Every structure is written in structure tokens, then in C-alpha cells.
């Protein structure tokens, strides 16, 4: 115990599947003095956070708020409030996180009907339509927009339209996608959408923005059974996050005050950059990274049509020691990247360009560090071609 003192984290460059680098403005905001969670000044800030989240989600939904826990709690908030025992839910799985949705449904005593797609492929709308037709009366369709385990972006607009046509609610995971690619909740007609603070929003981990549309709110009001989770019961949380100046707010739990200062600041930064500019930045940096890797002789797992700009999954060349490369990147350059999950373990690297970590500096540093590391361990990569290939995209006029 004598040796234990203040914790000073090492300096890292976060280029894995999340968290992403947090801007000093966000860290400074989080270091401001803690005030009470019912303090009028805090309550004003809460209203601003809700307005900014509506901007991020491109929605007018009144029930838009940050859940005081990470993305998994946002997922659980959607399922626990909308699904009741005995309901049927069509769950799409094309990576790790669809499997977690299935587990949520199962634990609620409901019946998950799985629509499986290979890891690395987008959710196939034709299969979803077949499942909806085969299960009339299904309460909801659930899918992951940006699968962080594979780097795939699915066609949310088409999937939400299918759910609406079959009178099913649509639950969408945008933990990685929100802020980095368009998530127009109202245009999609998505009913319940959740995200995370630590990916494209580039805030510290631990907060999960959620938004619920009118059909979802009606479904919550029409429940026959109480929500199984007290903490995530939106009918209770709403009384704290209620709208309107001077509205009486009642205590539900002590909000993570300083974490919410951080989320507020990161959303202010998103607003200042302009969300469309943020989407183009993510797209351009991702295109540059992929071009650089290709020039080096490495191949992305996901083709051009459906890749997620925030996360590039890169095939590990034959004979290369996958964890060794990650370790050397961390030790020699301070760069964190991710390894594969599930069936992709040992076969891919996952390289994130999310939020503040989506910059030309991250792209070029990662490419040169990867090239040097692979060369040092004897892998066959072409020298000196990756960074120029990326620069041609980054700085083309
Ligand atoms: C697509 C997706 N959904 C859900 C989660 C869970 O979020 P959290 O780890 O913040 O609980 C993650 C986290 O990586 C994710 O990438």
C-alpha cells in the first residue's frame, strides 16, 4: 500500500475501437467544480445537453437524454423499456454486438428471432424482410448500424422502413456511428436509438445518449408489466430529465455531474465544427488510411460499399504475429489499436479513426508506425508508399 500514490496514465494515441482521444477542452470541462445535480445552473446545462443531442441525432424527439452509464446501458434501456415477456424481437447479428442484443431479449423473457449475416458483411434487408414476414406481430426489429467488431456499416434507412412497414418498432445501435456518419433519426423513422460518449463524440467513456420517438413512448405507456430495471426505467428517469425552463425535476439518481460537463463540451465542439463537416472529415481520413494500407500491401476486410469510416478492419498478413504488432505499436509509439473479436480473433486488426482520433496526423502516424513495425519483424510490406498514398487523398485540392 505504501507504494500506491496518484495515478498518472501513460500518454497514448487512441486508435482502437474506442475510446478515442479526448480533446483537452473536454478534459478541462470535466475538471470544473462539481455542483449539485438539481442546481439551477446544472439544470440549464441539462437542457442544453438535450438540445445538442437532438442536433447530433438529427431529431425532434422530446425523449432524448444521456443515460448515466456506458453504451451497454443505452442498449439495455431500449430493450428493457420496450420489450415485455413473451414478445418476439427480430435481432440482426453480423458481429459481436448483435449477440448482446439477443442476450438482452432472452433475459427479458422475450423471444429473439435471429437474422444472421457473416461477420464483415452488412445486415441483408432481404433476410430481414423474410423474418418480418415469417413473424407477423413481432414487437421490434433490432440491429447495429456501425458494427465495431467488424467495421461494417448497415443500411439503417432501409431496415427502419422495413420495420415500419411490418408495424414493428425499430431499435438501432449507433454507439460508434453517431457523429461520424449521418444518423438522421427522424428521417429514418427509427423508434429507439442509443449511442456512446467515447467513440465519434470523443468524450470520456461512461455516458450513453438515447432518443425515443412517439411510437416508442406510446409502447412504453401501453406496457402491461413494470419495467424490470428500476435504474433504467424511463418513466422514472423522465421525471429528472423533464423538459422546460423551471420544470420541477425530481431526484432519481445522482447524475454524473462532471461527466456531463464533458459530454456538453464535446457536443458544443460537434456543433461548432458542424455535423456535416464532421461526417466528411471521418470519411476523408478513413479513405486515406485505407489507401495507405493498400499501397503498403495490406488488405481491409470490408469492401468499399459497406465499410464504417470510424473503424477499419485490416487482414493480418499470413505468418505475422498479430498481438506482437499491437504490443510494439503501443510500446514504441504509444499507439493503441484493437485486435479481432470472436471468429476474427488473431485474423484482423481494428483501427479506429473516431472523433478527435480522426485526423490527418493520426492517419499518417499510424501508417508509418505500422510500416516500420511490420518491416522490423520481417513482414513483406512495400516501403515508403503508404504515407504518400494517404496524403494524396488528405490534401488533394
Ligand atoms: C456497436 C457497439 N455497441 C455497444 C457497445 C457497448 O458500449 P460500452 O462499451 O460503452 O458499454 C460498443 C462498445 O464498443 C459498440 O461498439
Amino acid at each position: 500500500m505504501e507504494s500506491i500514490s496518484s495515478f498518472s496514465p501513460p500518454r497514448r494515441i487512441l486508435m482502437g475501437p474506442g475510446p478515442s482521444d479526448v480533446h483537452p477542452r473536454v478534459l478541462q470541462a470535466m475538471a470544473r467544480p462539481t455542483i449539485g445535480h438539481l442546481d439551477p445552473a446544472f439544470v440549464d446545462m441539462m437542457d442544453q445537453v438535450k438540445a445538442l443531442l437532438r442536433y447530433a441525432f438529427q431529431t425532434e424527439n422530446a425523449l432524448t437524454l444521456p443515460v448515466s452509464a456506458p453504451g451497454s446501458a443505452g442498449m439495455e434501456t431500449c430493450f428493457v423499456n420496450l420489450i415485455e415477456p413473451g414478445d418476439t424481437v427480430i435481432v440482426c447479428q453480423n458481429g459481436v454486438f448483435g449477440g448482446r442484443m439477443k442476450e438482452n431479449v432472452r433475459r427479458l423473457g422475450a423471444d429473439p428471432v435471429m437474422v444472421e449475416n457473416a461477420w464483415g458483411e452488412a445486415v441483408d434487408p432481404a433476410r430481414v424482410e423474410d423474418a418480418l414476414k415469417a413473424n407477423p406481430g413481432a414487437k421490434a426489429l433490432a440491429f447495429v448500424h456501425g458494427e465495431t467488431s467488424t467495421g461494417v456499416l448497415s443500411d439503417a434507412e432501409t431496415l427502419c422502413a422495413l420495420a415500419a412497414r411490418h408495424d414493428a418498432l425499430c431499435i438501432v445501435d449507433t454507439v460508434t456511428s453517431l457523429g461520424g456518419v449521418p444518423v438522421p433519426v427522424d428521417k429514418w423513422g427509427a423508434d429507439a436509438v442509443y449511442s456512446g460518449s467515447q467513440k465519434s463524440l470523443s468524450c470520456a467513456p461512461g455516458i450513453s445518449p438515447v432518443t425515443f420517438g412517439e411510437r416508442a413512448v406510446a409502447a412504453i405507456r401501453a406496457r402491461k408489466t413494470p419495467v424490470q430495471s428500476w435504474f433504467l426505467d424511463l418513466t422514472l428517469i423522465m421525471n429528472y430529465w423533464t423538459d422546460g425552463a423551471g420544470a420541477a425535476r425530481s431526484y432519481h439518481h445522482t447524475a454524473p455531474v462532471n461527466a456531463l460537463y464533458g459530454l456538453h463540451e464535446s457536443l458544443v465542439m460537434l456543433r461548432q465544427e458542424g455535423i456535416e463537416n464532421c461526417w466528411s472529415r471521418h470519411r476523408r481520413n478513413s479513405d486515406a488510411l485505407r489507401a495507405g494500407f493498400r499501397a503498403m500491401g495490406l488488405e481491409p476486410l470490408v469492401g468499399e460499399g459497406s465499410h464504417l469510416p470510424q473503424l477499419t478492419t485490416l487482414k493480418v498478413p499470413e505468418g505475422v504475429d498479430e498481438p506482437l504488432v499491437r504490443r510494439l505499436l503501443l510500446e514504441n509509439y504509444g499507439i493503441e489499436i484493437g485486435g479481432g473479436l470472436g471468429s476474427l480473433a488473431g485474423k484482423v486488426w481494428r483501427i479506429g479513426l473516431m472523433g478527435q482520433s480522426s485526423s490527418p496526423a493520426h492517419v499518417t502516424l499510424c501508417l508509418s508506425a505500422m510500416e516500420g513495425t511490420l518491416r522490423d519483424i520481417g513482414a513483406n510490406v512495400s516501403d515508403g508508399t503508404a504515407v504518400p498514398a494517404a496524403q494524396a487523398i488528405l490534401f488533394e485540392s
Side-chain angles (χ1 to χ4, degrees), residues 47-85:
D47 285 340
Q48 292 181 9
V49 167
K50 284 193 295 185
L52 289 162
L53 284 178
R54 286 189 192 110
Y55 171 72
F57 279 124
Q58 312 265 282
T59 184
E60 301 291 323
N61 285 343
L63 186 53
T64 302
L65 54 87
V67 173
S68 305
S72 307
M75 181 188 283
E76 207 143 334
T77 302
C78 292
F79 286 99
V80 87
N81 282 277
L82 294 177
I83 306 304
E84 295 189 67

Side-chain angles (χ1 to χ4, degrees), residues 358-395:
S358 175
S359 79
H362 285 81
V363 171
T364 47
L365 175 63
C366 177
L367 289 171
S368 64
M370 193 70 149
E371 185 182 305
T373 304
L374 287 170
R375 198 181 42 238
D376 288 350
I377 63 171
N380 185 17
V381 284
S382 48
D383 265 350
T385 50
V387 170
Q391 283 164 332
I393 290 175
L394 291 171
F395 306 116

Side-chain angles (χ1 to χ4, degrees), residues 214-278:
E214 281 171 16
R215 289 199 321 157
V217 173
I220 297 172
R221 296 229 161 89
R223 286 182 67 98
K224 297 184 196 73
T225 55
V227 174
Q228 282 187 7
S229 161
W230 178 86
F231 183 63
L232 299 176
D233 183 343
L234 281 172
T235 58
L236 304 175
I237 296 175
M238 273 185 242
N239 294 334
Y240 176 58
W241 278 94
T242 188
D243 253 334
R249 284 180 163 76
S250 55
Y251 165 70
H252 177 259
H253 64 276
T254 308
V257 170
N258 293 58
L260 288 171
Y261 298 164
L263 180 65
H264 180 272
E265 190 66 19
S266 68
L267 293 169
V268 166
M269 289 183 69
L270 179 73
R271 185 85 184 85
Q272 287 172 344
E273 179 175 7
I275 199 160
E276 291 85 1
N277 295 332
C278 196

Side-chain angles (χ1 to χ4, degrees), residues 16-34:
S20 56
D21 283 345
V22 178
H23 196 278
R25 269 177 65 179
V26 174
L27 295 174
Q28 277 158 14
M30 291 174 75
R32 289 178 192 142
T34 304

